[in-house]
């Protein structure tokens, strides 16, 4: 009888863990996350050349963290805001970043993009 109770407890914990994972996946992305993912891209965005592997990894992480259209719109607005507040970011480099990293996140990088 004790084995059934232990098995039941393990199954219950497994179900709770799965449900918690599903609940957290539905949370929207926030600007601090977006900034964290792309912080390594600042040198490229200012000076051009080739983005670092860390920058491209951050871009891939951003893509994974923003699967829904609403998430991508939030990310777009965050990027647009940062691009317009940090001096020296080159809009042409920003537009080229996804292609240089081989990542299509579904949102153009630009200081003037319409995120809707």
């Amino acid at each position: 009888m004790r084995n059934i109770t232990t098995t039941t407890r393990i199954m219950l914990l497994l179900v709770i863990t799965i449900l918690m994972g599903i609940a957290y996946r539905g949370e929207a992305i926030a600007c601090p996350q977006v900034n964290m993912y792309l912080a390594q891209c600042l040198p490229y965005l200012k000076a051009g050349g080739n983005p670092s592997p860390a920058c491209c990894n951050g871009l891939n992480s951003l893509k994974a963290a923003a699967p829904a259209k609403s998430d991508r719109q939030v990310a777009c607005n965050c990027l647009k805001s940062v691009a317009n507040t940090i001096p020296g970011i080159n809009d042409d480099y920003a537009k080229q970043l996804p292609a240089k990293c081989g990542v299509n996140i579904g949102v153009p990088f630009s200081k003037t993009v319409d995120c809707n």
Side-chain angles (χ1 to χ4, degrees), residues 1-100:
M1 189 88 167
R2 185 171 187 183
N3 286 341
I4 295 173
T5 305
T6 302
T7 303
T8 304
R9 286 182 186 168
I10 291 171
M11 292 300 290
L12 182 60
L13 286 173
L14 182 61
V15 168
I16 290 171
T17 303
I18 291 170
L19 290 175
M20 286 177 65
I22 291 170
Y24 285 122
R25 259 189 243 142
E27 291 183 5
I29 194 166
C31 286
Q33 276 181 287
V34 174
N35 296 342
M36 180 190 68
Y37 289 136
L38 297 183
Q40 296 296 319
C41 297
L42 278 175
Y44 164 78
L45 292 170
K46 289 183 175 187
N50 289 313
S52 69
C55 170
C56 292
N57 288 340
L59 193 59
N60 273 311
S61 296
L62 175 60
K63 179 180 179 178
K69 181 180 179 182
S70 60
D71 292 327
R72 290 189 302 272
Q73 286 174 318
V74 169
C76 176
N77 281 310
C78 294
L79 293 170
K80 185 176 174 180
S81 175
V82 168
N84 284 307
T85 56
I86 296 177
I89 290 182
N90 183 300
D91 205 39
D92 289 332
Y93 299 151
K95 289 176 186 175
Q96 296 168 12
L97 179 62
K100 286 203 171 199

